[in-house]
Amino acid sequence: MTDQKATNVYWHDGEITKTDREALLNQEGATLWFTGLSGSGKSTVAVAVENALMARGQLCYRLDGDNVRMGINKNLGFSADDRTENIRRIGEISKLFVDTGVIVLSSFISPYSNDRDTVRSIHDESNYHFIEVFVDCSLESAESRDPKGLYKKARAGEIKNFTGIDDPYEAPAKPEIHLHSDQMSLEEEVKVILTYLEDHCILQPL
Amino acid sequence: MTDQKATNVYWHDGEITKTDREALLNQEGATLWFTGLSGSGKSTVAVAVENALMARGQLCYRLDGDNVRMGINKNLGFSADDRTENIRRIGEISKLFVDTGVIVLSSFISPYSNDRDTVRSIHDESNYHFIEVFVDCSLESAESRDPKGLYKKARAGEIKNFTGIDDPYEAPAKPEIHLHSDQMSLEEEVKVILTYLEDHCILQPL
C-alpha cells in the first residue's frame, strides 16, 4: 500500500488506470484458475492461498459455485450450452477483478479445455495474468474422499453427466502450475503458488 | 490499510471474510449506482469520485458500458428482456465487488425503477450498502450537451427507444443521493458523495 496522497486534491486530469490500482494494492491483478475433478482439493488449496495472501496483506477474492451459481449465474442450468456460458461469465468477471488489481482465485471443475481456453483468451486479449492451476488427483483418491457424497450418487445413477464417471475431464495440456494434490501437502501446494506469483512479479517477495 | 500481519503464517483456521478484506482496505464495500439520462453527467461524476477516492488511497472500480457491454454482457441486445438481464448481471457483479470490500461506481442510464429495485434487493438480501445516486438533469440540458450526438440521432429517428425521447425515464422516488447536475458544480457533487460515504462509515473521515 502506498502512502496516502494529498488529501485536498479531489480529482486530476485523466482517468485512473489498472496500474494505479495495482500500485495502491502493491500487487498485480491476476486470475488463478483452479481446475480439477470434484474432490481433488481445488477449494482447499484456494482457501489456503487466500489465507496466505491475507496474512501478507494482499487483496484476493475467491469465486466458486457458492457465490456464482446462486447469483450472477442462477439463470443457468447444466446443459452443454449453459456450462459453457457459466465458465465464460466467470472468466469475464475474473477479468474485471484483475482490472481492479485483485488476485482472483476461481475454483471450478471446468472439465473442458475449450471453455478454459476461452477464459485464457479473454485475459490474453488484454495482456492480463491468467494462471491455470491443474489440481491433479487420481479419480481413485478423489472418489475415496468424496467430501460431498457426489461420487456415490453418480455411481448410483442419481447424478448424470458427472465429471470422471460418465463425463470426461480434459486435463490441461500446459498448465502454468501443476499440483499433485494426492501427493503434496497443502503447505507445499501453497508454497508453489506463492513462488510462482513472486517469480512473475504479481507479488513482491517478502 | 492495516499493517501487514505476520509473514510466516501461511494460513489460519476459518475462512477470510468480507470484514477481513474491508479491514485491509480501510473502508467498507459499497455500490454507488449512478442513474440518469444520457448526457446527464453520470460518468463525469463517477470519474471525479474515482479520482477523489484514489487520492485518499481508497480502492474503487467503475463499471460502465465500456467494460460490461463488451465483455460479460456482449451476448445481450436491447430488447426489454435483455435490458433487464443486463442490469441484473451488473447488479450481481457489483455485489461480488462489494463482498470484496471495493467501492463500486456503476454508471448506467438504468431507466426502469423495477430493474434498479432488483439491484437494490440483491444488495439488501446480504445487508450490503447500495446507494442510488440520481444524476438529475433536465432533458433540455442533457440534450443540449449531447456529448455523443445520440439525441440528434434519436430525434432523427435513427435510434429507436431512446430514453427521454421515445422511451421513459422513471426517476428514483427515494434515491440515497440526489444530484442536480445542471445546477451543481462537479466539485459540489463529489463533496456530497464523499460526505455521504463518511457519514455511513464506508470511508473514514480525513
Side-chain angles (χ1 to χ4, degrees):
Chain A
M1 190 94 166
T2 54
D3 289 333
Q4 190 171 303
K5 296 173 196 164
T7 54
N8 57 344
V9 177
Y10 280 92
W11 60 85
H12 63 73
D13 290 337
E15 301 199 351
I16 302 297
T17 65
K18 173 170 177 276
T19 305
D20 295 318
R21 290 182 287 268
E22 291 177 330
L24 181 74
L25 295 169
N26 192 30
Q27 64 187 31
E28 290 189 5
T31 293
L32 284 160
W33 189 274
F34 297 90
T35 173
L37 294 173
S38 176
S40 61
K42 296 181 297 300
S43 291
T44 303
V45 65
V47 167
V49 170
E50 180 183 39
N51 275 287
L53 289 172
M54 276 297 285
R56 290 170 68 149
Q58 304 301 140
L59 184 67
C60 61
Y61 188 65
R62 277 193 302 122
L63 293 173
D64 57 26
D66 289 340
N67 54 14
V68 165
R69 277 276 181 194
M70 308 290 278
I72 179 103
N73 288 355
K74 71 179 172 188
N75 55 0
L76 295 176
F78 290 90
S79 69
D81 281 357
D82 278 7
R83 281 170 178 250
T84 293
E85 173 67 1
N86 181 51
I87 298 298
R88 184 194 72 83
R89 286 190 200 167
I90 296 163
E92 293 282 5
I93 293 167
S94 299
K95 183 181 184 177
L96 291 171
F97 275 103
V98 175
D99 193 34
T100 307
V102 175
I103 298 171
V104 195
L105 312 172
S106 296
S107 177
F108 299 90
I109 297 173
S110 48
Y112 306 125
S113 297
N114 269 349
D115 291 345
R116 295 192 306 266
D117 287 347
T118 297
V119 179
R120 181 183 291 278
S121 66
I122 285 169
H123 286 69
D124 282 354
E125 69 194 14
S126 294
N127 214 11
Y128 285 3
H129 293 293
F130 176 79
I131 303 151
E132 192 173 32
V133 183
F134 179 22
V135 184
D136 193 0
C137 174
S138 69
L139 179 62
E140 294 68 34
S141 294
E143 191 166 356
S144 69
R145 292 181 189 170
D146 204 10
K148 299 175 189 166
L150 296 175
Y151 283 99
K152 201 173 172 191
K153 287 187 181 172
R155 291 287 185 193
E158 294 167 33
I159 305 176
K160 299 289 179 194
N161 304 319
F162 193 79
T163 300
I165 305 298
D166 55 350
D167 215 57
Y169 177 78
E170 299 172 2
K174 290 179 68 177
E176 277 73 12
I177 299 176
H178 191 151
L179 303 176
H180 295 273
S181 60
D182 50 2
Q183 298 163 36
M184 295 167 76
S185 72
L186 189 54
E187 191 162 6
E188 285 169 335
E189 293 179 307
V190 171
K191 188 153 189 219
V192 166
I193 291 170
L194 294 185
T195 301
Y196 183 96
L197 297 178
E198 289 181 1
D199 288 348
H200 291 78
C201 301
I202 294 162
L203 290 181
Q204 304 288 327
L206 289 178
Chain B
M1 191 91 166
T2 55
D3 289 332
Q4 190 170 302
K5 296 173 196 165
T7 54
N8 57 344
V9 178
Y10 280 92
W11 59 85
H12 62 73
D13 289 337
E15 300 199 353
I16 301 297
T17 64
K18 173 171 177 275
T19 305
D20 295 319
R21 290 182 287 268
E22 291 177 329
L24 182 75
L25 295 169
N26 192 31
Q27 63 186 31
E28 290 190 5
T31 293
L32 284 161
W33 189 274
F34 297 89
T35 172
L37 295 172
S38 176
S40 61
K42 296 180 299 300
S43 291
T44 303
V45 66
V47 167
V49 169
E50 180 183 38
N51 275 287
L53 289 172
M54 277 295 286
R56 289 171 68 149
Q58 304 301 140
L59 184 66
C60 61
Y61 189 65
R62 277 194 302 121
L63 292 173
D64 59 26
D66 289 341
N67 54 15
V68 165
R69 277 278 181 192
M70 308 290 279
I72 179 103
N73 287 355
K74 70 179 173 188
N75 55 0
L76 296 175
F78 291 90
S79 69
D81 281 356
D82 278 7
R83 280 169 178 251
T84 293
E85 173 66 2
N86 180 52
I87 297 298
R88 185 194 72 83
R89 286 190 201 167
I90 296 164
E92 293 283 5
I93 293 166
S94 299
K95 183 181 184 177
L96 292 171
F97 275 103
V98 174
D99 194 35
T100 307
V102 176
I103 299 171
V104 195
L105 313 172
S106 295
S107 178
F108 298 90
I109 297 172
S110 50
Y112 306 126
S113 296
N114 269 349
D115 291 345
R116 295 193 306 266
D117 287 348
T118 297
V119 179
R120 180 184 290 279
S121 66
I122 285 170
H123 286 69
D124 282 354
E125 69 194 15
S126 294
N127 214 11
Y128 286 1
H129 293 294
F130 176 78
I131 304 152
E132 191 174 31
V133 183
F134 179 22
V135 185
D136 192 0
C137 174
S138 68
L139 179 61
E140 294 68 34
S141 292
E143 190 167 356
S144 70
R145 290 181 190 170
D146 203 10
K148 298 175 190 166
L150 296 174
Y151 284 99
K152 200 173 171 190
K153 285 186 182 171
R155 292 289 185 192
E158 293 167 34
I159 305 177
K160 298 290 180 191
N161 304 319
F162 194 79
T163 299
I165 304 298
D166 55 349
D167 216 57
Y169 177 77
E170 299 172 1
K174 290 179 69 178
E176 278 72 14
I177 298 176
H178 191 151
L179 304 176
H180 295 274
S181 61
D182 51 2
Q183 297 162 39
M184 295 166 75
S185 71
L186 189 55
E187 191 163 5
E188 284 170 335
E189 294 179 308
V190 171
K191 188 154 190 218
V192 167
I193 290 170
L194 294 186
T195 301
Y196 183 96
L197 296 178
E198 288 181 2
D199 288 349
H200 291 78
C201 301
I202 294 162
L203 290 181
Q204 304 288 326
L206 290 179

